[in-house]
Amino acid sequence: MSLDALKAAVPDYAKDLRLNLDSVIDRSGLPAQQLWGTVLATAIASRSPIVLRELAPEAKANLSPEAYTAARSAAAIMAVNNVFHRTRHLLSDHAYGTLPAGLRMNVIGNPGVDKVDFELWSLAVSAVNGCGACLDSHERVLRKAGVEREVVQEAFKIASVIQAVGVTLDAEAILPE
């Protein structure tokens, strides 16, 4: 299957999601690497087997091997960082924020692709995972690198639509007609 198959699988009650998929992927203004890296990383973060199965082959076809691996790395490292930093942020005892993390994050320093692309993918995954501290951090890095707000927003628009499609299709796979 493919993006077209994924759109076709979206039920009529959620047709806005179908239209939004078309909008954020087919009509995105992002360069191909930023677009498909964001799609892949957020498909992984969505935890939806259906979405990942449908979108990963198209992402792989549109990304270099290095970018395909880096997008997967962004999803993996953000799975750790988002839980860790969201928890530190939500705890009432702010002293946890002064303790060393003690977690390996080497891929952030050397992702194998343009740092801006990796940061964009990390921001999108952080949106799916709901880590405000990570969102702020990645947004600051992107803006400091000269990335426009519209590009940052495009990444979290993709994240929101991919997540919504995953939730909807996973529910459809379980719910009776």
Side-chain angles (χ1 to χ4, degrees):
M1 286 216 244
S2 63
L3 176 58
D4 289 334
L6 192 63
K7 287 190 276 192
V10 174
D12 285 339
Y13 71 81
K15 72 178 179 179
D16 286 335
L17 299 182
R18 188 179 317 122
L19 297 170
N20 286 331
L21 263 176
D22 191 49
S23 174
V24 301
I25 297 177
D26 288 341
R27 294 193 306 269
S28 174
L30 294 178
Q33 180 163 299
Q34 288 182 351
L35 169 65
W36 286 102
T38 302
V39 168
L40 178 60
T42 57
I44 293 167
S46 78
R47 298 178 185 90
S48 171
I50 297 166
V51 167
L52 186 56
R53 183 176 55 245
E54 299 308 323
L55 295 178
E58 284 197 51
K60 190 170 191 172
N62 284 283
L63 293 168
S64 68
E66 296 80 12
Y68 185 77
T69 297
R72 293 167 65 192
S73 295
I77 198 64
M78 288 303 107
V80 172
N81 283 356
N82 293 158
V83 171
F84 181 80
H85 291 292
R86 183 178 62 235
T87 301
R88 280 172 53 158
H89 175 76
L90 292 173
L91 286 170
S92 296
D93 184 348
H94 297 289
Y96 287 102
T98 66
L99 300 175
L103 297 170
R104 303 289 300 232
M105 299 177 248
N106 293 333
V107 71
I108 293 172
N110 186 18
V113 294
D114 185 278
K115 184 91 164 122
V116 166
D117 293 351
F118 192 82
E119 286 290 333
L120 194 68
W121 304 337
S122 297
L123 176 130
V125 171
S126 297
V128 171
N129 292 333
C131 181
C134 296
L135 284 165
D136 283 342
S137 175
H138 295 294
E139 191 267 349
R140 274 193 304 274
V141 170
L142 288 164
R143 297 288 292 136
K144 186 175 180 182
V147 176
E148 298 294 326
R149 284 183 177 89
E150 292 80 6
V151 171
V152 172
Q153 180 172 291
E154 190 71 20
F156 64 80
K157 279 173 51 179
I158 293 167
S160 65
V161 173
I162 297 292
Q163 174 68 7
V165 169
V167 167
T168 302
L169 294 180
D170 288 354
E172 282 297 300
I174 295 170
L175 294 172
E177 291 284 327

